[in-house]
Amino acid sequence: INTNFSNNKRQPANTLIGSLVKSTMAPIGFIGLGIMGEGMASRLISQGVAGSDEVPLVVWNRTSSKCDDLKERFPDKNIEVKGSAKEVLESCYIIFSCLSTPEASRAVFEGDNGTLAGVSAGKFIIDCATLAESDMKRMDEQVKSKGGQFLEAPVSGSKGPAHSGMLIFLCAGSESIYQDATVQSSLKAMGKANHYFGKE
């Protein structure tokens, strides 16, 4: 499914994208502020999806200075820094994750204070790393076992497109997550197109 909303991209972000999330008004989480994640999180802020008093952006990164750098870039925005991935999960119901390598992804996901440790009923986990199909399947099963939902959403693009909102998201997994209005507005802020390939 091609859900490229390019015909709307010239409209003011705070009226176009921000209006889509007013019905939920809950913090959005972002785990991993590396080469890709920093640009993606910045787009959520600059496009009015998160970072407001009503919808804070809640972040964590293995190197905490990356979180401080993001706050310095957006001093007037509501960015909350947590001490672990688990704490991000405990504060949000929609959480994006973008770790640099399969090893880092698994360490953060399965660590004692990691992503999985914070999963509970109703949590939406969107993983944007490029991982093996077996890894994504394992993560999906682990999240579901704790009552959450999982969407794999690896990106096509690099640092430049991440900062300019020109990524392409290739999604599979929970259709409920993919169709969620806040998730859609987030994907739109971070990318030029997103595609859903089904539950498997």
Side-chain angles (χ1 to χ4, degrees):
I1 300 173
N2 185 345
T3 54
N4 185 354
F5 298 96
S6 58
N7 59 319
N8 290 329
K9 67 183 180 181
R10 297 183 188 279
Q11 296 186 29
N14 286 336
T15 58
L16 173 63
I17 297 175
S19 63
L20 295 177
V21 299
K22 287 182 179 179
S23 61
T24 53
M25 290 300 184
I28 294 174
F30 206 104
I31 296 168
L33 299 177
I35 291 174
M36 299 294 290
E38 189 271 333
M40 294 163 68
S42 295
R43 289 290 298 181
L44 293 177
I45 299 168
S46 67
Q47 298 305 296
V49 176
S52 65
D53 290 340
E54 297 83 6
V55 186
L57 183 67
V58 181
V59 300
W60 175 82
N61 190 69
R62 290 177 296 166
T63 304
S64 60
S65 61
K66 294 282 189 179
C67 299
D68 298 332
D69 291 344
L70 187 68
K71 287 177 67 73
E72 289 178 6
R73 281 192 61 203
F74 299 98
D76 60 335
K77 298 298 183 180
N78 189 1
I79 302 170
E80 299 179 9
V81 178
K82 296 298 183 180
S84 68
K86 179 183 178 182
E87 291 181 17
V88 174
L89 269 288
E90 292 171 343
S91 301
C92 311
Y93 87 92
I94 293 176
I95 303 94
F96 289 89
S97 179
C98 190
L99 281 299
S100 58
T101 66
E103 294 77 17
S105 181
R106 185 161 190 169
V108 170
F109 189 81
E110 297 182 354
D112 290 341
N113 290 301
T115 303
L116 188 60
V119 174
S120 58
K123 302 291 184 180
F124 283 6
I125 314 300
I126 303 104
D127 198 294
C128 302
T130 300
L131 302 173
E133 182 178 352
S134 59
D135 291 330
M136 289 294 193
K137 184 177 181 180
R138 184 191 71 253
M139 294 161 73
D140 178 64
E141 292 172 349
Q142 290 172 318
V143 169
K144 286 180 178 177
S145 73
K146 299 190 70 175
Q149 297 188 52
F150 184 81
L151 183 74
E152 58 180 282
V155 297
S156 175
S158 56
K159 181 178 179 179
H163 279 270
S164 58
M166 297 297 285
L167 297 172
I168 298 173
F169 290 86
L170 307 174
C171 306
S174 170
E175 187 173 6
S176 296
I177 295 181
Y178 182 75
Q179 297 292 351
D180 181 86
T182 301
V183 173
Q184 274 295 316
S185 62
S186 299
L187 294 176
K188 179 180 176 182
M190 296 185 289
K192 65 179 179 180
N194 57 81
H195 306 273
Y196 181 68
F197 295 100
K199 296 183 179 181
E200 297 296 334

